[in-house]
Amino acid sequence: METSKQRVLKAINHIQPDTTPVHIMGFERVGKWLKLFGAEDIFELREKLGLDLRTAFAIYAGPNTTRGLNIWGSDKIIGGYKGGGYSQEHGYHPLAGATSVSDIERFAWPDPDDFDYETAGKVLRTVPDTARFIGITHSNLGEGITNEDAARGKSPVISMKHAAWLALLCTLFELFGLEETLIMFYSEPKMLESAIAHVEAFVLEFTRRRLEATQGLVDIYVYGDDFATQKGLMISPEHWRRFLKPTYKKIFELIKGYGVKIWFHSCGTFRPVLPDLIDIGMDVWETVQVHLPGNEPEVLKREYGKDITFFGAINSQHTLPFGTTEDVRAEVRERIRVLGKGGGYICGPDHTVLPDVPVDNVLAMLDEARKFSP
Amino acid sequence: MEQELSYSISARETKDRVRKEAQTLENYLDTISQAVERGDDKQTIKIVKEALTSNIPPIDILEKGLVPGIQALGKLFKDGQVYLPEILISTRAMNRGVAELKPYLADTNIYNKGTVVLGTVEGDLHDIGKNLVKLMLESNGFNVIDLDVDVSADSFASAAREHSADIIAMSSLLTITMTYMPKVVEALEQAGLKHKVQIMIGGAPITREFADSIGVEGFAEDCASAVDEAMRLMTL
C-alpha cells in the first residue's frame, strides 16, 4: 500500500496511484467534528479521518487580534451565516475612506515579523508519511492557546476567528469594500495598483519565510483567491491579466524556486483565464465545481488534465447535504472514472463542509474513494 | 412669386428646424444611453444637463435615454460580455443622471415598475448578490425596499404589508439557509398575502427546481436576469 505522501505526489505527477487520494479543506462548525472523532484539533481530525494531506498554520502574534481585527485591519470573521461562514462583523473596511495613493502608502500594512513560521515545521515533522502542505492561511494566538495549539488549529473558535487568507482580490475587497474595489478598476487604477503592490510585497515575504521555515518538509503550497462566480469571472479577463495575474505569477515563481507544488483555490467558473493560471505554473486547482457551465468533468480532463490535478468536484450544494450515501458513492465513482484517469485527481468536497452535511455522507465519500479503482 | 418663394423658404426652414430638433432629441437620448452603457458618469451628467437646457422632457431623458442604456448593459452582462465593474460604473452613471433629473420629476414616480421587498433570509449574512439585484432593479425603475441580511419570515411579511409589495425577493448563499425560504412563503400565506404578492428567489445553491418545489414562481440566476424575471412577474 502506498503512503499518503506517495499517493498524493503520484496523483499530482499524473501517475495512477493505488487509490485516489482524499482531502477535506474546510469544516464549518468544526467543533462538532472534533467532538465526534475525539480529536483535539484540526490537525488530529484530519488524521482520524485518514485524509492524505496535513497542514500546520503560521501563527499571527501581532496587535490586531486583540483589537478584534484581522491582519488587514478589517473586521472580517470566519465563521456568512450567524455564528459561522465568512462575513464582515460590522462591515468595516479600513481603506474605504482612502482618496489618494499616499493614503494607501501610509496604511498600516501587516508586518511579516509578526508571525511565527517555525512551529508549523515542528508540527509537520511528526507526520512524514503524509503529503504536507503549508499556505496562505494563518491562525492566531489567544487565551490559553500555545503556539503549537495554534499551528494545529486547536480551539478554532479562538484561533481561527480573525484568521485571514492572503488572497489578492479578496483582500482588496476587505480593505476597500467589494463595490468600491470593483469600481476602482475604472475610477482609481493607480490606487488599486498601489494597494496591490503592498499586498504583494507582504504575501511574497510571508510566503518566503514560510517556505524557508519548512524546507524539505512540505510538498505543496496552497495559494488562492476568489475572482469568479457561478456564472463566470467577476472582472474582465483583461482586468484580471493586468491587475491580478502579475502578482500570482511572482508568488508562483517564488514557490517553484523551492521545488514545491502550487495548489490554487478559486471557486466558480473561469475558463477564459484557466490557461493563464496553467501557464504561470498552477499544479492543482481546488474546488472544481463541476455543475457549473464550463466545468464539465469530461471537458476539463480533456483540455487541462495533462497539465493540472483537480481537487474537489464532489458537490457540496446538492449531493453532500441532500443526497443519500449511495448518491455520494455514485458521484465519487463517476469523478474518479473521469477526472482520476491516470492520476490527476484528489477527491473531496467542492467547498467547505457545512453543518447540514450528514457525517455518513462524508464518510461514504472517503470510503468510496479509497476502495474504488476504475 | 416673391411671396411664394419666401413662403417656401420659411416652410423649408420650419421643416429643417423640426427635423433638426428631432435629430437633436434623438442624438441627446442616444448619447445619454451610450454614456450610461459605457459607465461614463461625467458625460452622462453633462449631456443630461444639456438635454434639459434644450427643453427635452425630463421623463424622456429618463425613459428613452438613461433606462435603455442600463438595459443594453444588462443584456451584455447576461451574454458574458461585461462584468461586475461595468455593471457598477453604469448603475452609478445612471444614478448620477437620475439625480440631475430629480428636481424636474418631483411629481413623477420614477420607480413605477413595481415595489420589491428584498432581503437575504434569516441565518445568512451574505449580501453581494442581493446588493447587485437591488442596483439593477432600481436602475430599471423598481421601488426596492431593502431589508438587508438575516431577514426573518415575519419581517418579510410585515414589510410586504407596510409597503404594499408586488414582489418579495429572497436571497440565500448557503444550503443551510435556503431551507428557510419555505418558512417565508408560509408566513406570507398565514398573513393572507400570498395571493397579493409574487415571490422570486436566487443565490448560489438555488435552482428553478428548488423554486418549483417550494411553490415559488420567480427564480433568477443573476442580477440582470432578476430584472427580466421581476418584469415577467409584474405581468402575472
Side-chain angles (χ1 to χ4, degrees):
Chain A
M1 199 171 104
E2 289 169 1
T3 63
S4 289
K5 188 184 173 87
Q6 290 166 333
R7 197 172 291 139
V8 171
L9 290 181
K10 274 192 169 181
I12 296 180
N13 290 313
H14 298 94
I15 302 163
Q16 187 74 49
D18 62 348
T19 63
T20 307
V22 287
H23 188 62
I24 298 174
M25 215 31 123
F27 292 91
E28 204 55 82
R29 296 200 187 159
V30 66
K32 175 183 96 173
W33 291 85
L34 295 175
K35 213 167 151 192
L36 202 61
F37 288 88
E40 287 276 305
D41 47 50
I42 299 170
F43 191 83
E44 194 184 358
L45 175 65
R46 288 196 166 118
E47 183 187 318
K48 298 228 162 170
L49 288 170
L51 306 184
D52 290 301
L53 288 109
R54 219 68 103 241
T55 193
F57 302 106
I59 306 143
Y60 176 65
N64 280 15
T65 314
T66 48
R67 297 180 192 138
L69 301 171
N70 72 13
I71 59 164
W72 302 112
S74 141
D75 65 350
K76 185 164 161 182
I77 49 169
I78 296 192
Y81 63 100
K82 270 198 260 182
Y86 288 86
S87 62
Q88 298 287 141
E89 207 161 15
H90 307 287
Y92 171 68
H93 302 286
L95 277 172
T99 54
S100 66
V101 170
S102 61
D103 287 346
I104 311 266
E105 302 289 332
R106 277 199 301 270
F107 182 67
W109 294 98
D111 183 346
D113 287 345
D114 283 342
F115 295 80
D116 163 8
Y117 304 92
E118 307 294 333
T119 304
K122 206 170 120 194
V123 171
L124 289 171
R125 245 176 231 114
T126 62
V127 283
D129 289 340
T130 66
R132 292 170 287 186
F133 70 92
I134 54 170
I136 52 162
T137 318
H138 69 84
S139 58
N140 297 300
L141 291 173
E143 212 174 310
I145 297 175
T146 66
N147 285 44
E148 191 166 331
D149 291 342
R152 295 171 60 102
K154 193 177 174 180
S155 308
V157 176
I158 301 168
S159 67
M160 301 305 288
K161 182 181 179 189
H162 290 288
W165 67 316
L166 313 186
L168 181 54
L169 185 63
C170 288
T171 297
L172 299 173
F173 290 162
E174 279 189 52
L175 292 167
F176 295 101
L178 177 122
E179 290 181 25
E180 214 33 64
T181 303
L182 293 172
I183 285 176
M184 284 168 74
F185 280 93
Y186 283 97
S187 62
E188 299 292 349
K190 290 244 168 345
M191 281 170 61
L192 208 54
E193 278 164 350
S194 166
I196 288 169
H198 281 280
V199 173
E200 178 186 295
F202 169 71
V203 175
L204 280 170
E205 185 55 19
F206 174 92
T207 301
R208 195 187 64 74
R209 294 195 194 186
R210 286 220 78 180
L211 287 161
E212 283 290 330
T214 53
Q215 272 214 73
L217 290 173
V218 298
D219 310 297
I220 298 164
Y221 196 93
V222 176
Y223 183 65
D225 207 343
D226 271 318
F227 41 70
T229 71
Q230 298 198 126
K231 299 209 62 180
L233 284 163
M234 287 187 225
I235 61 173
S236 68
E238 295 73 30
H239 278 151
W240 187 93
R241 289 186 185 113
R242 177 178 156 197
F243 289 93
L244 308 183
K245 185 180 175 183
T247 297
Y248 300 153
K249 185 163 185 272
K250 284 181 214 165
I251 294 168
F252 287 11
E253 278 167 359
L254 174 71
I255 298 166
K256 289 268 159 182
Y258 284 82
V260 168
K261 299 281 185 190
I262 295 160
W263 174 306
F264 188 84
H265 165 104
S266 177
C267 296
T269 175
F270 49 90
R271 280 285 288 284
V273 301
L274 196 49
D276 291 72
L277 284 160
I278 292 170
D279 276 349
I280 59 176
M282 176 173 76
D283 295 301
V284 182
W285 170 31
E286 168 186 333
T287 69
V288 196
Q289 296 167 289
V290 298
H291 59 291
L292 305 181
N295 287 353
E296 298 77 10
E298 295 76 11
V299 180
L300 289 176
K301 188 69 176 176
R302 189 178 64 231
E303 302 276 320
Y304 311 109
K306 60 184 187 312
D307 301 314
I308 55 172
T309 291
F310 303 99
F311 164 61
I314 304 301
N315 195 320
S316 60
Q317 287 180 5
H318 300 286
T319 324
L320 283 170
F322 305 127
T324 62
T325 52
E326 196 36 55
D327 295 335
V328 173
R329 287 177 186 276
E331 186 164 312
V332 166
R333 288 194 295 271
E334 184 52 27
R335 296 295 168 263
I336 292 176
R337 233 191 307 268
V338 177
L339 294 174
K341 203 170 176 203
Y345 178 52
I346 298 166
C347 185
D350 66 4
H351 212 287
T352 302
V353 175
L354 293 186
D356 59 348
V357 173
V359 172
D360 283 348
N361 281 3
V362 172
L363 296 180
M365 176 187 76
L366 299 174
D367 181 57
E368 193 64 29
R370 285 187 201 107
K371 69 181 191 202
F372 178 72
S373 39
Chain B
M1 176 74 184
E2 216 169 66
Q3 213 174 8
E4 250 174 49
L5 188 67
S6 99
Y7 171 77
S8 73
I9 287 171
S10 108
R12 198 183 310 133
E13 271 177 352
T14 310
K15 242 160 100 187
D16 277 356
R17 190 165 54 77
V18 170
R19 196 171 59 223
K20 217 168 165 184
E21 273 176 8
Q23 260 177 4
T24 316
L25 177 75
E26 215 168 282
N27 276 345
Y28 274 128
L29 297 176
D30 275 356
T31 318
I32 289 169
S33 293
Q34 286 159 18
V36 168
E37 198 180 323
R38 282 201 310 277
D40 187 338
D41 54 339
K42 291 194 180 78
Q43 179 77 352
T44 305
I45 292 169
K46 181 170 167 264
I47 310 293
V48 165
K49 280 182 170 161
E50 281 177 30
L52 286 167
T53 328
S54 306
N55 291 321
I56 296 175
I59 195 74
D60 285 353
I61 299 177
L62 177 69
E63 288 180 354
K64 299 176 186 167
L66 295 167
V67 171
I70 209 76
Q71 285 172 341
L73 189 87
K75 192 174 177 310
L76 290 174
F77 181 73
K78 273 193 291 180
D79 295 346
Q81 296 182 52
V82 298
Y83 301 84
L84 295 180
E86 290 78 17
I87 289 278
L88 290 166
I89 59 169
S90 285
T91 49
R92 184 178 64 169
M94 163 103 191
N95 287 337
R96 293 193 172 162
V98 170
E100 293 298 320
L101 293 178
K102 276 223 168 118
Y104 303 88
L105 290 169
D107 301 330
T108 319
N109 175 17
I110 59 172
Y111 300 110
N112 58 3
K113 295 288 190 303
T115 294
V116 181
V117 164
L118 171 73
T120 303
V121 298
E122 185 167 301
D124 200 324
L125 304 175
H126 294 90
D127 63 357
I128 296 170
K130 176 206 53 106
N131 290 346
L132 290 165
V133 167
K134 178 186 179 182
L135 272 178
M136 287 300 276
L137 284 174
E138 281 182 340
S139 298
N140 282 274
F142 283 90
N143 171 35
V144 179
I145 312 295
D146 183 4
L147 303 180
D148 207 3
V149 297
D150 193 19
V151 181
S152 70
D154 287 344
S155 304
F156 273 112
S158 55
R161 183 175 293 120
E162 185 187 339
H163 300 281
S164 309
D166 301 296
I167 295 173
I168 304 290
M170 292 185 263
S171 165
S172 146
L173 189 88
L174 303 167
T175 50
I176 52 169
T177 54
M178 67 194 266
T179 46
Y180 190 77
M181 290 179 165
K183 292 184 185 150
V184 179
V185 177
E186 199 183 302
L188 291 167
E189 223 153 37
Q190 273 171 10
L193 292 165
K194 179 87 197 298
H195 62 287
K196 291 186 183 151
V197 296
Q198 289 290 350
I199 305 169
M200 60 189 271
I201 60 176
I206 309 294
T207 57
R208 173 68 74 185
E209 292 72 42
F210 178 71
D212 290 343
S213 77
I214 63 167
V216 161
E217 174 66 33
F219 161 74
E221 281 198 313
D222 59 56
C223 59
S225 311
V227 175
D228 298 342
E229 187 68 346
M231 295 281 192
R232 182 179 76 84
L233 293 178
M234 291 305 294
T235 64
L236 298 179

